[in-house]
Amino acid sequence: MDIGVRILLAFLVPQVAHVGGQEDGGHEGCVPGFQVKHYQVVYSGPFQKGQALLQVEFDDCAGNEDVKFEVSDPSFHVDGDLNLAPQRDVQYTSPVMFIHGLSAHADDMAQVEVSGLPIQSPHNLRDILGLGQTLPYRSKRSLLVPPMIITENQRAPFPRIIGKLEVSTTDIAGNVVEGPAQLVITVIDQNDNRPIFKETRYTGEVLEGSPTGTTVMTMMAFDADDPATDNAALRYNIVRQSPNNPVLNMFSIDAERGDIVTAIPPALLDRETLPTTTYELEIVAKDMAGSEVGLTGTATATITITDKNDHAPEFTHPLFEAYVNEGSTGVVVNLTVDDRDDPDTGAGRAIYSIIDGDPTQSFEIQTNPDNNEGMLSVVKPLDYEAMSLHTLFIKVENEDPLVPDVGYGPSSTATVHVKILDINEGPVFFPDPLKVTRMENIPLGSFVASLNATDPDIKQTQSIRYAVLQDPAGWLSVNPVRGTVNTSASLDRESPYVHDNKYTAVFIATDNGNPLATGTGTLVIYLEDYNDNAPYVVPSVAQVCEDAHDMNVAIVGGRDKDLPPNSAPFKIELGKQPGLDKTWQVTRVNSTHSQIMLLHSLKKANYQLPLLITDSGVPPLSNSTEVKVQVCICKKNKKMDCSSAHSHRASLLVLLATLLLALLSPPSEDVRER
């Protein structure tokens, strides 16, 4: 059993004590009850109320919820902090007290010995038992009687008589008082529980080359029997090692603590020379301090020998060769290494670097995580004509540093020859793009540019032919042999195919290699302006109120698709028809705009006003145009009624009629109806 079980009985004397039942198997890993079962208190004078004499250690392995304590001397109690303290001032107590702890998960007893008590002459049994003092709030207390002892695992029949008590006491007046009294029955433990390991299989690891005596792991078993007896005194032993080489006893175990340590010299604990990196030990824990009559429990310990970086990686070959087509990229060769260390650790994982032969950084090397190989790649296209052979020097190291007595040797470097294979490359235009400047509207067939494409395959003799690939406006042609570009249509700077005065065309050059290869080049033509667009007036419609006091009709501006100096400043004037200046006036505002004014009021109608606009080109271009002037009825809500107005065109007849009417009557419309 895990503890010495105390059965506390309250009975009225005379009574007979009975016993029966079996012990609880205990809680694995935790022994419920008092963790210390014997305590001592030194008497140095009367105990004061609330004075903490000691702190008991009690654990029911379930959180100590609702634990209750009872002390054989009712003058004492165990408080919430597990302190044994008097409930009142106590002058004298029994040399021995018992504390009973009880919860749903534990039922245990502890003993407290009080030393240094003064010798007193007992007057009666109450004094003998240390119960001579009575509580002020209670007239009688139970008596402490000598305990009884039995062994656990009693056999039937039950109940069984284990003793008989008669007890009688007298009070202060000498009257006989009976019971109740407390009887403590101590159950003696038997070795009826085997040691039990918490797990059936444990794992540990130790670094290779560790000194002899290095702790690997600790095995721990539990025994439910009384820990104060040999029934729970455990001893550990290794009974089997697998495999049993290079020596049978590679490990040893501390018999009492269960510590497993290395037992061989560091040189023998070499992961790379051992037959395996994993050893299995069978561990036996025996109670009764390991005697022959002890009970046993068994568990397995699996120990892994871990790696340290005591071997440098070495290339499998001093020279590697690779072949790659010029102009291509990607992995060209995989470099292999040998490393006796664990490839799944930093001691075995390889790191590659290019230490010489790559001044243009056209190569890179990375570690393949699946097989630890070095993947050498071309990251910048290589040119056969520039260099047909590249010689690289590669170094390999480990992620982890080597141990101090190991270094990298010549086998940790290798040479790689990368041979470039020639392929038929397409012609290359130079410059690309080719930029030229030409005047628009140059004659058909005019020379524009001469294309220049060369074949990179200088070690081969090849011819090149040219063709138009993209010509959005269809303005150009190219000589297929010489590469000269001429106009096949008029170049128009104002075309929608021209952007920012630039026209772009693409040409293709093809060699006669096998297979054929092509290249493209761009021609950008900057077009200079020619005064080939007449200006025009905006807006083309203006509105004015019939009764307006302000005779300003509108401000009109000039527009021209050409560029300066073939555009502004503009000259805007009345058309050449006679008599217009009697009704209309055009006044220049600035280099691009002019003001149209009425010289007298007009009736509601639509009038077509002839204007002449001229740009500043050499020679200048003029354009005769008309502005529609709507004379409308303006209402108070600022809306203009122009819908019913008649359309009139200013002419010589209108002007003459206007002059005649002006002599005979008030001024009238200077127009004739269309």
Side-chain angles (χ1 to χ4, degrees):
M1 71 182 276
D2 55 346
I3 56 173
V5 179
R6 273 73 170 167
I7 302 176
L8 187 63
L9 301 177
F11 58 93
L12 294 175
V13 296
Q15 289 190 6
V16 177
H18 301 270
V19 67
Q22 300 288 330
E23 72 175 331
D24 190 353
H27 186 275
E28 196 172 271
C30 178
V31 180
F34 286 96
Q35 306 303 302
V36 178
K37 300 185 181 298
H38 295 86
Y39 301 87
Q40 286 188 341
V41 174
V42 178
Y43 180 89
S44 59
F47 297 120
Q48 303 297 320
K49 178 181 179 180
Q51 175 186 358
L53 304 182
L54 57 87
Q55 187 178 51
V56 299
E57 296 184 25
F58 184 91
D59 187 2
D60 69 352
C61 304
N64 280 357
E65 294 183 0
D66 299 327
V67 178
K68 297 181 180 179
F69 298 92
E70 186 173 3
V71 185
S72 60
D73 188 342
S75 298
F76 296 83
H77 76 121
V78 177
D79 62 19
D81 296 327
L82 303 184
N83 293 319
L84 177 66
Q87 299 192 88
R88 58 184 179 83
D89 293 342
V90 177
Q91 299 293 330
Y92 182 83
T93 185
S94 170
V96 178
M97 287 187 289
F98 296 95
I99 303 175
H100 180 209
L102 178 65
S103 75
H105 305 281
D107 186 352
D108 199 8
M109 293 284 293
Q111 178 178 315
V112 180
E113 295 181 4
V114 184
S115 61
L117 287 169
I119 300 176
Q120 292 190 357
S121 300
H123 300 287
N124 49 37
L125 181 58
R126 181 179 296 274
D127 293 332
I128 294 174
L129 298 177
L131 303 175
Q133 301 176 2
T134 59
L135 296 175
Y137 55 86
R138 186 167 179 176
S139 60
K140 295 192 298 182
R141 294 295 296 169
S142 59
L143 301 178
L144 182 65
V145 297
M148 294 183 181
I149 299 175
I150 63 171
T151 61
E152 66 170 329
N153 299 325
Q154 296 282 336
R155 294 186 177 182
F158 297 107
R160 172 180 296 188
I161 297 175
I162 61 173
K164 185 175 182 181
L165 294 176
E166 296 183 358
V167 178
S168 64
T169 61
T170 60
D171 59 15
I172 298 177
N175 300 318
V176 176
V177 179
E178 295 184 349
Q182 291 182 336
L183 171 63
V184 176
I185 300 176
T186 301
V187 181
I188 302 301
D189 182 40
Q190 289 186 336
N191 189 23
D192 55 349
N193 288 278
R194 293 180 178 275
I196 298 176
F197 288 92
K198 186 176 181 180
E199 306 289 342
T200 59
R201 185 175 295 274
Y202 293 79
T203 59
E205 58 183 34
V206 62
L207 185 67
E208 65 170 330
S210 295
T212 304
T214 299
T215 300
V216 180
M217 58 194 300
T218 299
M219 306 291 291
M220 184 174 292
F222 299 93
D223 196 311
D225 289 319
D226 189 349
T229 68
D230 282 350
N231 295 342
L234 305 183
R235 298 294 183 268
Y236 300 92
N237 187 30
I238 300 175
V239 299
R240 182 180 61 85
Q241 172 187 301
S242 177
N244 58 5
N245 56 347
V247 294
L248 179 60
N249 298 317
M250 294 182 60
F251 306 92
S252 63
I253 189 169
D254 186 283
E256 295 187 6
R257 296 193 302 270
D259 296 335
I260 298 178
V261 299
T262 59
I264 60 175
L268 291 181
L269 197 63
D270 185 358
R271 181 184 178 278
E272 288 73 36
T273 61
L274 291 173
T276 180
T277 59
T278 302
Y279 285 83
E280 187 173 276
L281 307 179
E282 184 178 341
I283 311 298
V284 171
K286 181 183 284 189
D287 60 18
M288 298 302 292
S291 68
E292 294 183 359
V293 298
L295 302 178
T296 61
T298 304
T300 300
T302 301
I303 300 175
T304 300
I305 313 301
T306 57
D307 190 29
K308 65 180 180 181
N309 197 11
D310 54 353
H311 295 87
E314 297 179 346
F315 283 101
T316 57
H317 305 286
L319 175 65
F320 294 85
E321 289 187 336
Y323 299 87
V324 58
N325 291 330
E326 65 172 330
S328 65
T329 58
V331 177
V332 295
V333 66
N334 292 308
L335 309 183
T336 54
V337 295
D338 286 332
D339 194 325
R340 300 174 63 186
D341 294 316
D342 187 353
D344 295 327
T345 67
R349 286 192 290 267
I351 298 177
Y352 299 86
S353 58
I354 302 172
I355 59 176
D356 197 10
D358 185 26
T360 59
Q361 297 182 342
S362 300
F363 299 87
E364 73 174 16
I365 188 167
Q366 296 180 337
T367 303
N368 188 327
D370 297 328
N371 54 23
N372 217 28
E373 294 180 353
M375 301 182 296
L376 180 65
S377 302
V378 176
V379 295
K380 294 181 180 179
L382 302 174
D383 185 5
Y384 170 83
E385 286 72 26
M387 182 180 293
S388 60
L389 175 64
H390 293 260
T391 300
L392 307 177
F393 295 94
I394 310 297
K395 181 180 180 180
V396 62
E397 298 175 303
N398 290 130
E399 290 183 2
D400 293 346
L402 294 171
V403 296
D405 56 340
V406 177
Y408 294 102
S411 297
S412 296
T413 59
T415 302
V416 180
H417 287 165
V418 180
K419 297 181 179 180
I420 313 304
L421 302 178
D422 187 25
I423 62 172
N424 187 28
E425 300 173 86
V428 177
F429 283 83
F430 182 83
D432 187 23
L434 173 61
K435 300 178 181 179
V436 298
T437 301
R438 296 291 181 268
M439 179 69 72
E440 66 172 330
N441 297 331
I442 59 178
L444 188 68
S446 297
F447 172 79
V448 176
S450 181
L451 303 178
N452 179 30
T454 59
D455 196 321
D457 299 305
I458 58 177
K459 297 183 180 181
Q460 303 179 28
T461 302
Q462 296 180 347
S463 61
I464 297 176
R465 295 184 66 84
Y466 300 90
V468 177
L469 183 63
Q470 294 178 9
D471 181 14
W475 293 342
L476 305 173
S477 63
V478 63
N479 185 291
V481 177
R482 296 191 302 272
T484 54
V485 179
N486 296 82
T487 60
S488 59
S490 179
L491 305 181
D492 183 7
R493 191 196 65 83
E494 293 76 30
S495 167
Y497 297 108
V498 176
H499 304 283
D500 296 329
N501 302 322
K502 295 182 296 184
Y503 179 73
T504 302
V506 180
F507 297 85
I508 185 171
T510 306
D511 65 17
N512 61 344
N514 186 17
L516 298 177
T518 61
T520 59
T522 301
L523 172 63
V524 178
I525 304 174
Y526 288 84
L527 292 174
E528 295 180 336
D529 186 39
Y530 179 80
N531 194 18
D532 56 348
N533 291 277
Y536 58 95
V537 173
V538 292
S540 60
V541 178
Q543 292 179 338
V544 65
C545 293
E546 183 181 38
D547 56 351
H549 300 289
D550 185 0
M551 306 303 283
N552 293 323
V553 176
I555 293 179
V556 294
R559 298 288 187 271
D560 198 322
K561 292 182 179 180
D562 294 320
L563 297 176
N566 296 321
S567 55
F570 299 109
K571 179 180 180 182
I572 303 175
E573 55 188 333
L574 292 174
K576 300 303 180 181
Q577 295 89 333
L580 289 177
D581 56 350
K582 302 300 181 179
T583 303
W584 309 91
Q585 181 179 337
V586 177
T587 304
R588 180 171 179 170
V589 176
N590 53 36
S591 63
T592 57
H593 291 77
S594 296
Q595 174 77 58
I596 299 176
M597 300 179 59
L598 277 172
L599 298 179
H600 57 81
S601 298
L602 296 177
K603 296 298 182 180
K604 176 182 176 182
N606 294 333
Y607 300 86
Q608 299 296 129
L609 176 63
L611 295 177
L612 179 66
I613 180 170
T614 305
D615 62 22
S616 297
V618 179
L621 289 180
S622 299
N623 182 23
S624 296
T625 184
E626 290 184 343
V627 174
K628 180 180 180 180
V629 179
Q630 293 181 310
V631 179
C632 308
I633 297 176
C634 297
K635 301 180 180 179
K636 292 183 178 180
N637 57 7
K638 298 183 179 181
K639 290 185 178 181
M640 302 180 73
D641 181 10
C642 305
S643 60
S644 60
H646 300 288
S647 177
H648 298 265
R649 183 178 302 275
S651 64
L652 177 61
L653 295 178
V654 173
L655 294 175
L656 293 175
T658 301
L659 291 175
L660 180 61
L661 291 174
L663 297 174
L664 301 176
S665 61
S668 61
E669 294 179 357
D670 238 358
V671 298
R672 66 177 180 85
E673 190 172 343
R674 182 185 297 175

